[in-house]
Amino acid sequence: MDGIVLLIEDEDEIADLLRLVFEKEGFRLLHADSGEKGLDLLTQRSPRAVLLDLGLPGIDGMEVCRRIRASSDVPVIMLTARDDEIDKVVGLEIGADDYVTKPFSPREVVARVKAVLRRSEQQPEAPAAISIGEFEIDSGRRTVLTPDGGVVQPTAREFDLLWHLARNRGIVLSRGQLLEAVWGYDYFGESRTVDVHVRQLRRKLPDIPIETVWGVGYKMAR
Ligand code: CA
């Protein structure tokens, strides 16, 4: 794989560390040490993915992510401080594709970037629709028609998760299986990403029957 990855991060040591690993893997790492510079580089250089630190001087990572999302679908991976649960959740709610918790292994960051790139380059499946009760999930429009005639537009990742659950309705899927199918990588230990996205789907579509199977994962009821 190759291409430009934009890192928006105010700590030079982290930038140096990541540059080394990314360049070894054939990527070009552009580094911006503030959100403002990062947003400028994003428009000038069209990177294939963005690594975005949450704690930045000036405009913070969340606001930077919002501004990126206002104009671009580029994959964004947030770099967050350790155990910063609230920030993680918010980071995902504002449209980031994934997050990595500091301190991280640079190789893990590379693996995440490769996973989001593989994911964003996959050919979309032939458009189809799946009915779940009176909901209709439309993979062409990537929307959900609700029983009362409304249209709900989940984020890209929420839709992929919903679609995968719907296609496997009645089957219990573990968090690991969902991560592999929807995010494209194996996960070690932590699995809040899936939970956060399920919570968001339930908030947007309260009556869609995504069931929690304790100790295992989730399933879409038939
Ligand atoms: Ca920072």
Side-chain angles (χ1 to χ4, degrees):
M1 269 198 215
D2 55 15
I4 296 174
V5 173
L6 172 61
L7 169 68
I8 307 176
E9 163 66 74
D10 58 313
E11 285 172 66
D12 287 340
E13 308 87 79
I14 291 180
D16 292 344
L17 195 68
L18 288 175
R19 175 173 294 113
L20 219 65
V21 181
F22 273 87
E23 291 188 349
K24 223 177 191 170
E25 296 282 331
F27 291 97
R28 171 109 195 271
L29 193 77
L30 285 182
H31 175 212
D33 60 8
S34 72
E36 289 86 345
K37 289 181 199 165
L39 289 165
D40 283 346
L41 280 175
L42 180 74
T43 16
Q44 290 160 16
R45 307 295 296 276
S46 309
R48 290 177 65 198
V50 176
L51 294 167
L52 176 58
D53 182 28
L54 202 57
L56 289 168
I59 49 174
D60 70 12
M62 279 190 273
E63 179 57 25
V64 174
C65 191
R66 276 191 206 102
R67 293 195 195 175
I68 291 174
R69 277 291 166 265
S71 65
S72 166
D73 285 332
V74 66
V76 175
I77 297 173
M78 303 290 281
L79 308 176
T80 77
R82 192 173 195 173
D83 293 333
D84 214 342
E85 297 292 339
I86 295 163
D87 285 350
K88 280 179 193 169
V89 175
V90 175
L92 293 164
E93 284 174 355
I94 58 172
D97 291 87
D98 201 358
Y99 67 85
V100 183
T101 308
K102 290 180 180 180
F104 46 69
S105 111
R107 305 211 63 82
E108 189 191 353
V109 180
V110 175
R112 296 293 180 89
V113 167
K114 286 183 171 175
V116 292
L117 291 180
R118 271 199 301 274
R119 183 76 207 150
S120 65
E121 278 153 20
Q122 268 172 21
Q123 292 300 316
E125 296 176 56
I130 296 176
S131 297
I132 297 289
E134 288 179 67
F135 289 90
E136 185 164 293
I137 306 172
D138 181 336
S139 81
R141 294 191 178 82
R142 299 178 68 80
T143 55
V144 181
L145 295 177
T146 62
D148 59 5
V151 178
V152 174
Q153 176 109 54
T155 65
R157 196 66 65 141
E158 287 161 12
F159 186 87
D160 291 342
L161 177 64
L162 181 66
W163 183 251
H164 191 72
L165 284 164
R167 280 181 55 188
N168 294 285
R169 58 191 174 279
I171 299 171
V172 181
L173 298 166
S174 71
R175 291 176 177 80
Q177 286 171 325
L178 290 167
L179 281 162
E180 206 179 320
V182 177
W183 280 262
Y185 54 76
D186 298 326
Y187 223 61
F188 312 93
E190 194 181 20
S191 56
R192 278 183 52 84
T193 302
V194 174
D195 300 334
V196 168
H197 282 77
V198 168
R199 196 154 62 235
Q200 285 293 94
L201 281 171
R202 285 175 172 158
R203 194 176 59 76
K204 291 178 182 174
L205 295 159
D207 296 321
I208 205 127
I210 302 174
E211 296 176 354
T212 302
V213 182
W214 292 106
V216 188
Y218 295 99
K219 85 170 180 191
M220 181 75 79
R222 279 186 178 278

